[in-house]
Amino acid sequence: MEITSVRIEVDLYSDTVTRPTADMRRFMCAAEVGDEQKGEDPTVNRLQDQVAELLGKEAALFLPSGTMCNEIALRVHCRPGDEMLAHWTAHPIHAEAGGPAALAGVNTRALDGPRGLFDVATVQAAVRPPSRYSPRSRLLWVEQTSNLGGGSVWPLAAIEAVVGVARRHGLATHMDGARLFNAVVASGVSARAYAAPFDSAWIDFTKGLGAPVGAALAGSREFIVDAWRLKQQMGGAMRQAGIIAAAGIYSLEHNVERLAEDHVHARRLADGLAELPGIALAPAHVETNIVLFELRGPLDAETAVARLLERGVRMGALGPRTIRAVTHLDVGAAEIERALTAAREVFRA
């Protein structure tokens, strides 16, 4: 975890750094609450019904984090020794502390493809034929948008095609929708349409939607019954959780359409960075709020990020020569220009 005492004027480290607005805080304070473990918290129930409706599923479950959504989905869909098929950049492979192995006992088969996406042929080649010697191919995983793919948006037709292969082979399907609404705003395709091909899907309230905590997992009623048991087992059950669920409701009702602003700011940032020496970046690939760029000059990513931070701009080093910047509701047009000024000082030096 990165800790710094430097004054950060423009924080592009992630869209998880957003803080709840004053209006969101007031909405949270006014939330009606009850014991959510007993199904008696009206605000939690309202949020779960809202998410189920948005995603076109029978039921939904409020959870503390998106990681818990992913890990619970894995445990419901798979048995120990089964195998999940996912792009090699997928969140469970890189950022869930080995959860698929530790919590679900699940193998991961990493798929390749440009910018976090894979195609029908790749899925077809990865599904294992039945054999007593091999793990059972059990789950196909899609991340919408692809974080380490640079915020790339899965086209609906591509989703339907790869899910179709999975279905023919008897696999379950899951959508990691951490930034689903970025895809919705960028493409004009509804969240319900994107979620329709999948057995389970979830959305995060803490990224571009700006809530301080929480996510919601959706699927069939039977799936959610199993998910609830695992939520209890993994310590995710809460009590008067309406206070935090209210932030999710507020985010869905006020912060979805404004994601378009983040996309405009990301494209402006990408255009400006692409003009600088030593940076390899195709602005046309910036579809949503994530800007990934490679360093081709003398600076490595760690050094470049440190020098940007000295100038009050925080980005993240994803590798020796890869940097990620993410726009969000706490970053406006003025902050983007401030970040570009700092970048010019660093990369033209």
Side-chain angles (χ1 to χ4, degrees), residues 268-291:
R268 168 60 187 139
L269 180 65
D271 287 339
L273 290 171
E275 296 173 354
L276 300 180
I279 290 179
L281 169 62
H285 286 168
V286 178
E287 298 178 75
T288 54
N289 67 324
I290 298 176
V291 180

Side-chain angles (χ1 to χ4, degrees), residues 114-159:
R115 303 178 57 239
L117 282 57
F118 48 81
D119 60 17
V120 165
T122 301
V123 177
Q124 184 65 50
V127 175
R128 296 182 188 271
S131 168
R132 72 178 73 169
Y133 301 104
S134 301
R136 180 179 63 165
S137 298
R138 181 64 187 123
L139 178 65
L140 181 71
W141 190 283
V142 168
E143 187 176 294
Q144 176 74 303
T145 64
S146 172
N147 176 13
L148 299 184
S152 54
V153 177
W154 275 85
L156 182 56
I159 285 175

